Amino acid sequence: MKGKRLYLIVLLLLVTASLSADSGRQYYAASSSLSYYLGIPHFEDEIPARSSLALSTTVGFLGYQGNNWETVLQAHIYSVSDSLPFGNYRARGFNSLGISILGSWSVSDRLSLFIQGGSEVNFYKQIEEVFASFSFKFGPQFLIAEGTDHQIFLTAPLSVHLRKEITAVQAGIGVRYLVFPFSRGDT
């Protein structure tokens, strides 16, 4: 399984890197979102679901934008708080470090739909345990400001975080900032 995951990540990197800057505008990106995190365990537990907050920060370092599409390779940091108390029990929070690829398609001048997939390494905050996970995110993004060298989007991401013992569903709100180091026609 590890070999297939590594193969998929390398394939995504190659596809993204092979996109020519001539086919669109190259950009760098930064984004942040705050989400409600509902973790549903795959085992019998005294807490039926974990209710937490999640904060995600992403840096896109290899992005291209065409007339009605975009794609970007990005690294993300993710932090999930301890769960709300359930009696005397609280599920522990964790931090994540991962890589993902995002693609979007413009529906109109102000609205586009995005989908993102990635993998993370997660670290519990209170104990020394590391675990891997996969995440999928999708939703609309609304262009709220634009200049010759930047764009700012308001996002409404819905995501699924897949772990061995828990599946988490998230809904949130965020902001994406794209900066274009080269204008069209620059060499």
Side-chain angles (χ1 to χ4, degrees):
M1 183 69 174
K2 289 181 183 179
K4 288 181 182 180
R5 187 174 354 163
L6 179 61
Y7 175 74
L8 179 61
I9 290 169
V10 170
L11 182 62
L12 289 173
L13 286 170
L14 290 174
V15 167
T16 302
S18 68
L19 293 172
S20 168
D22 294 335
S23 66
R25 292 176 19 173
Q26 181 184 358
Y27 70 86
Y28 302 105
S31 64
S32 187
S33 64
L34 181 64
S35 302
Y36 172 74
Y37 181 96
L38 181 65
I40 303 163
H42 300 168
F43 54 89
E44 291 210 22
D45 194 10
E46 61 184 285
I47 183 169
R50 290 144 168 77
S51 184
S52 304
L53 289 179
L55 177 65
S56 175
T57 302
T58 304
V59 175
F61 49 89
L62 185 59
Y64 294 101
Q65 185 181 68
N67 291 333
N68 63 352
W69 60 271
E70 74 168 289
T71 186
V72 62
L73 184 63
Q74 49 195 14
H76 55 270
I77 299 170
Y78 189 70
S79 182
V80 175
S81 69
D82 292 347
S83 72
L84 294 173
F86 185 78
N88 293 327
Y89 180 77
R90 284 185 91 156
R92 56 191 169 260
F94 60 93
N95 295 317
S96 299
L97 181 61
I99 191 163
S100 59
I101 188 166
L102 177 142
S104 77
W105 175 73
S106 296
V107 177
S108 70
D109 290 341
R110 294 282 177 196
L111 171 66
S112 55
L113 303 174
F114 71 89
I115 187 165
Q116 173 184 316
S119 183
E120 302 85 24
V121 176
N122 306 277
F123 309 90
Y124 280 118
K125 295 178 181 178
Q126 297 166 346
I127 61 172
E128 292 185 21
E129 187 177 331
V130 177
F131 58 95
S133 64
F134 294 97
S135 60
F136 303 94
K137 188 181 290 190
F138 59 93
Q141 60 182 17
F142 305 93
L143 182 63
I144 57 174
E146 181 174 32
T148 57
D149 63 346
H150 72 279
Q151 291 179 325
I152 301 173
F153 294 90
L154 181 65
T155 64
L158 298 172
S159 60
V160 177
H161 191 226
L162 302 171
R163 301 168 33 190
K164 180 180 177 182
E165 69 280 354
I166 291 175
T167 297
V169 179
Q170 296 171 247
I173 189 161
V175 175
R176 286 186 75 217
Y177 176 74
L178 279 57
V179 62
F180 301 93
F182 309 108
S183 298
R184 289 191 192 268
D186 286 358
T187 53

